[in-house]
Structures are given as structure tokens and as C-alpha cells.
Amino acid sequence: MLIYIYTYHSINMVYLTIETLKNARGFVNPCKKRELDLRDLSLDTIENLGLTLDQYDVIDVSGNYLKRLENFATLQRLECITAHNNSIATIDSDMFSRCLPSLRTLLLTNNNISDINEVKGLNKCETLQHLSLLGNPVTGISNYRLFVIAALPFLLTLDFKKVTQTEKEAAANGFDSTVATNYNNNNNNNNINSNNNSSSHNCNSSNNSNR
């Protein structure tokens, strides 16, 4: 008789306290930007970033257990959020226009964003120029790239590829927010109806997303 022994490992979540922030590594990166390294700390919530006193251009929270991108304090200086390899499914888009007026780059490679409306909400962040959603389920929808470009016409790059003038024209002519929303709703219904037969989408992130 075979006996299976299962071992469970609990995850010790770390709170983003003043002590954690004090011990976090801050440095000048190769682009000569002040960067705060909060990678691989087992964080499940973003909080207390106001304690940084708005000293950083880049904040990296990759490799944690975040499910929502939210709770950023008002950071006038912050230009880039790097949040690869989490479990982010929802984005507090109001936060970007309200708290992060200088945000230009948002890198969300390898997360759990599946709803095109989460991406559409980023249209409130008109300073955003560079976005990565590689490795998210949303990239599997038909015409995903044109949907995103239509929703966020101010993007310069998407998934580390330049947004071309041809793509901008095609997006403006053929895709609007209503189309994207209706497609997403239909796609969700189809996924529910074919749940037992559906195949998973696996997307490999580019080398640019490796930290």
C-alpha cells in the first residue's frame, strides 16, 4: 500500500512597514533614475509608499503576491512601476490620474489580467507611454493589440514593441471602446460555456521583462 505524505508550506506575508521600506534597496539604475527595489518580499498589499517621501522615479514590486494594483500614495515624481510576476487581476485606474501624474511606464508582465476593461481604465492616465501585458490572459483575445491601442491612443510602445502609425490608424478606424467591451463580455460567456474544453494560453515574456 502506497502512503502519500503532503507537506504544506505557509507563505509568510510581509507588510510594507516603515522598517521594510527603510531596509529596501534604493539606487540609481543604468538609466540614471532613482529606483526602489521591493522585489521578492512576499508582499500581498501595497501600502505606506508615502513614507518614501517621493524620492524615486522607479518602484519595482516584481515577484510578490499582489492581486490588485492599488494603494499608491501621491507620488509626483514616480515615472515607472514594474510589477512583473505577481497575480494582479485588477487595476485601480482612478489612482493613476489622482496620485501618479508623472507615470510614463507600467510593466505588468506575467500577471492575471483577463478583462479588457481593466486595460481600458488606464485611459485616465494620459501620461502613460509604455505598457507591457505580456503573459496575461487578456493578450489571448482576438485583435488584442488593436483593442489596447484604440483604448490607449497615447501609447508609444505596447509589450516592448513600438506602436506604429499603421496600427494607430487601424485601431482608430476599426476598434472603439464599445467594441472592446462587447467582445470581452462575449469572450467571457464563451469561456464559461466551454470551460471543460478550453485550452490555456501560455505566453512567454521577452528578455526585456527579466529583471
Side-chain angles (χ1 to χ4, degrees):
M1 180 178 64
L2 295 176
I3 299 175
Y4 295 94
I5 300 175
Y6 297 92
T7 302
Y8 296 92
H9 298 280
S10 62
I11 299 172
N12 295 319
M13 297 298 180
V14 174
Y15 293 100
L16 200 48
T17 63
I18 187 170
E19 194 66 25
T20 305
L21 288 167
K22 181 179 177 181
N23 293 330
R25 187 169 71 105
F27 61 99
V28 177
N29 68 20
C31 296
K32 297 185 178 180
K33 300 290 185 179
R34 287 276 301 165
E35 181 168 345
L36 179 64
D37 183 358
L38 298 174
R39 293 177 294 170
D40 303 317
L41 294 178
S42 297
L43 302 173
D44 66 346
T45 302
I46 294 171
E47 56 190 346
N48 296 325
L49 287 179
L51 297 173
T52 65
L53 302 179
D54 201 11
Q55 297 181 71
Y56 297 98
D57 307 294
V58 181
I59 294 179
D60 190 344
V61 292
S62 298
N64 286 293
Y65 298 97
L66 302 174
K67 295 182 179 180
R68 293 177 56 86
L69 192 64
E70 61 181 359
N71 291 342
F72 276 77
T74 298
L75 300 171
Q76 300 283 341
R77 179 173 176 173
L78 187 64
E79 297 179 3
C80 175
I81 298 172
T82 304
H84 303 310
N85 304 319
N86 279 278
S87 299
I88 296 167
T90 57
I91 302 169
D92 180 1
S93 55
D94 290 330
M95 170 190 71
F96 290 97
S97 58
R98 186 177 68 249
C99 300
L100 307 174
S102 302
L103 190 71
R104 298 173 60 245
T105 302
L106 180 59
L107 304 178
L108 299 173
T109 301
N110 294 334
N111 278 283
N112 289 335
I113 298 169
S114 59
D115 188 344
I116 195 69
N117 288 307
E118 295 295 331
V119 182
K120 176 186 166 186
L122 292 172
N123 61 12
K124 299 172 184 177
C125 182
E126 296 183 358
T127 58
L128 190 64
Q129 297 179 351
H130 310 286
L131 175 66
S132 173
L133 296 169
L134 287 169
N136 284 266
V138 72
T139 63
I141 71 171
S142 179
N143 293 310
Y144 144 80
R145 188 171 172 87
L146 290 182
F147 280 151
V148 176
I149 294 170
L152 311 176
F154 38 76
L155 285 183
L156 300 181
T157 67
L158 174 61
D159 298 337
F160 304 107
K161 293 182 180 179
K162 181 180 178 180
V163 175
T164 66
Q165 185 61 34
T166 300
E167 287 177 318
K168 289 182 179 180
E169 292 172 359
N173 292 331
F175 297 87
D176 59 26
S177 299
T178 302
V179 173
T181 300
N182 289 339
Y183 181 89
N184 188 73
N185 291 337
N186 291 335
N187 192 53
N188 287 340
N189 290 335
N190 289 337
N191 287 340
I192 293 171
N193 293 334
S194 61
N195 186 53
N196 292 331
N197 297 319
S198 64
S199 59
S200 61
H201 295 280
N202 294 316
C203 300
N204 295 321
S205 64
S206 68
N207 291 332
N208 289 348
S209 67
N210 294 328
R211 300 291 299 174

